[in-house]
Amino acid sequence: MPNQQHSTTITLPRGTLDLTYQTNSALDNDATYQLEDLLGFAQRINPKRAFLFVSKVLGRHIPVAPSNMRKAFTDLANLVPSDLPEPILVIGMAETAVGLSAGVHQALQTRYPNALLLNSTRHAQHNDDNSETLLTTFSEDHSHASQHLIYQSADKTTQKQLLASKTLIMVDDEASTGNTCVNVVTALREAGLHQLEQVHLTTLVDWSLNQNQDAADMEDTISTRLPNIDFYRHHLLSGAWQWTDAPNPEPITMPSVDTTEAGSQPLGNTGNWGRFPTLDSTDGFNNYLAKFQSAFTRFSGQAPFDKEQLPERILVLGSNEFVWLPFLLAEWLETQTQDSKPVATVKFSALTRSPIALGGAITTMLSFSDNYGLGMTNFAYNVDPSDWDLIVLCVETAADSVDDMWQGLDNVLVVSPSI
């Protein structure tokens, strides 16, 4: 039975967004997502694209319960077939989808235990022995920060498996034209992944029906651009969008956020959660959890750590690309509070370099200096500090790298690998 088509119009300050969409009948009934389950809408401060799809399950611009995020990760992973040629590489797009990719990868490992995870990054990695070597770079044309870096592994066995990959599962929050996917696959093949047979573009929402093309036409177009590759799409919701500019929109100036520099603040050791190829994305979590527990006992003035000390309203914030271990911490806190405080609320969100205008799905905005020492503005959206008993701000840099705005709030606990 074909999926029922729906349509709606979203009015934003710089224009209107006309959407047609349909749910995915391949999902179980209890896993079917409607548009309002997945997305809100806002205005980007970006002349390349004036609107933004704001995910309600990603934990990036809207705080989300970790259990809801986990469900979306797993539902998306369950759409990926079970008979894929191996080795398999799962790759996620910085910064928005690095937690999503890790969640999909972890769910896929129940069927593909040897699948590798690798995320793109915009943070240059350096060490003294020069082992952290770029595999390739690519461009995400419509993004506020278009340049991406992809690193190879210093471990010879892992690197050999990476180069032998036959299936690529590319994970992103949304897709439209497929340009980013083509750019990634082309860059990886030129970097030595010559044995790729299949590419699976795996997204929360797929807007590939854009420009009056049906899905088959879009797949044919991408397949033509990726010769000798079998191309597939998996998504929780699909549709098409059409943007119409408002008459005489106000000119906008986009902040400068397109950099892949390392920054003046060194990155602490948080294990390997995907900036380099890894089988185990949870590497480093136990140490980070211990850092949180130690920091919390000092924060609360009570030792040893006792979950009964946890307050009822907790927000965990990741920072830029460092979101996967913080998400696992939020998930752990959610289980702890469920046991001891049935009415407790734990949610997850993240700091970001993405400039978004107030309005629509963006009700509040905090702006502050980034903690990486890049000299750029960062943002936290839909976060009112007074709504939370405890805000756990998770960073991969030193605790004192965090902007004074956060340091000045008495309900903010900074968790850093240097604690």
Side-chain angles (χ1 to χ4, degrees):
M1 179 177 176
N3 297 328
Q4 184 177 356
Q5 290 265 351
H6 306 270
S7 62
T8 189
T9 298
I10 309 297
T11 302
L12 295 168
R14 295 183 62 81
T16 56
L17 187 62
D18 291 300
L19 303 177
T20 57
Y21 62 93
Q22 58 192 27
T23 58
N24 189 346
S25 60
L27 291 161
D28 294 334
N29 287 337
D30 63 349
T32 299
Y33 292 82
Q34 303 296 328
L35 180 71
E36 58 270 20
D37 298 327
L38 290 174
L39 293 177
F41 305 90
Q43 176 180 307
R44 288 160 59 106
I45 305 176
N46 186 336
K48 298 177 185 177
R49 183 185 285 183
F51 61 91
L52 180 70
F53 300 110
V54 185
S55 175
K56 295 180 179 180
V57 297
L58 197 59
R60 173 61 67 172
H61 306 117
I62 297 175
V64 185
S67 52
N68 290 345
M69 294 174 63
R70 176 66 74 177
K71 181 179 184 299
F73 299 161
T74 303
D75 289 341
L76 187 56
N78 286 344
L79 293 171
V80 175
S82 294
D83 56 352
L84 301 180
E86 300 187 56
I88 292 172
L89 173 63
V90 178
I91 192 163
M93 300 294 99
E95 70 181 3
T96 304
V98 293
L100 176 64
S101 63
V104 169
H105 171 261
Q106 194 175 48
L108 282 171
Q109 282 191 310
T110 60
R111 290 179 285 149
Y112 300 110
N114 295 317
L116 283 175
L117 171 68
L118 176 59
N119 288 317
S120 74
T121 181
R122 296 188 180 105
H123 293 279
Q125 306 290 299
H126 298 302
N127 65 9
D128 294 335
D129 63 8
N130 223 13
S131 62
E132 295 174 345
T133 306
L134 269 176
L135 176 69
T136 189
T137 65
F138 71 93
S139 177
E140 185 182 15
D141 300 331
H142 71 268
S143 177
H144 58 276
S146 59
Q147 295 303 309
H148 290 248
L149 312 173
I150 298 180
Y151 281 87
Q152 61 188 32
S153 178
D155 178 79
K156 291 182 179 179
T157 301
T158 302
Q159 182 66 12
K160 182 178 179 181
Q161 178 179 333
L162 172 68
L163 294 176
S165 297
K166 292 185 178 181
T167 297
L168 177 71
I169 300 172
M170 179 173 156
V171 180
D172 210 346
D173 58 324
E174 55 109 350
S176 296
T177 63
N179 286 342
T180 300
C181 182
V182 171
N183 292 348
V184 170
V185 176
T186 301
L188 289 173
R189 293 172 93 177
E190 291 176 352
L193 276 72
H194 302 308
Q195 299 181 53
L196 283 177
E197 300 174 5
Q198 295 188 14
V199 171
H200 294 254
L201 180 55
T202 305
T203 56
L204 294 172
V205 183
D206 189 331
W207 298 109
S208 66
L209 302 186
N210 205 15
Q211 301 166 347
N212 298 316
Q213 289 180 296
D214 62 28
D217 289 339
M218 283 299 297
E219 290 180 13
D220 285 346
T221 300
I222 292 178
S223 296
T224 300
R225 298 165 67 190
L226 295 175
N228 304 314
I229 292 283
D230 293 329
F231 179 75
Y232 305 90
R233 290 174 178 264
H234 313 290
H235 46 263
L236 301 182
L237 190 81
S238 62
W241 58 261
Q242 182 67 47
W243 174 258
T244 304
D245 283 324
N248 304 313
E250 290 290 326
I252 58 173
T253 301
M254 186 172 66
S256 177
V257 296
D258 194 1
T259 178
T260 55
E261 296 299 317
S264 62
Q265 293 287 342
L267 304 183
N269 181 14
T270 55
N272 182 9
W273 35 267
R275 275 210 186 107
F276 305 97
T278 184
L279 285 171
D280 181 10
S281 65
T282 65
D283 175 39
F285 174 66
N286 288 338
N287 287 337
Y288 205 76
L289 176 59
K291 296 288 187 184
F292 162 75
Q293 292 175 332
S294 175
F296 181 79
T297 58
R298 291 196 298 273
F299 180 83
S300 64
Q302 303 177 64
F305 176 82
D306 180 356
K307 67 181 181 182
E308 298 294 336
Q309 301 168 9
L310 293 169
E312 290 189 351
R313 300 175 301 166
I314 303 174
L315 175 65
V316 179
L317 289 175
S319 48
N320 297 80
E321 294 172 11
F322 184 60
V323 292
W324 178 239
L325 298 190
F327 163 76
L328 294 176
L329 173 60
E331 191 173 49
W332 181 86
L333 285 168
E334 189 177 36
T335 62
Q336 301 303 304
T337 54
Q338 283 175 346
D339 291 343
S340 58
K341 297 178 176 65
V343 297
T345 298
V346 176
K347 291 194 175 180
F348 179 81
S349 193
L351 316 184
T352 175
R353 64 168 72 183
S354 299
I356 311 172
L358 283 171
I362 304 298
T363 59
T364 65
M365 175 184 68
L366 300 173
S367 60
F368 41 89
S369 296
D370 78 282
N371 59 290
Y372 292 95
L374 289 165
M376 71 170 62
T377 302
N378 274 191
F379 307 92
Y381 298 107
N382 296 312
V383 173
D384 181 344
S386 64
D387 288 342
W388 304 96
D389 301 319
L390 175 65
I391 297 176
V392 184
L393 177 53
C394 300
V395 296
E396 54 180 331
T397 51
D400 61 6
S401 67
V402 172
D403 189 276
D404 289 344
M405 186 206 77
W406 296 108
Q407 306 275 11
L409 295 172
D410 59 10
N411 61 337
V412 172
L413 169 61
V414 179
V415 181
S416 160
S418 62
I419 290 176

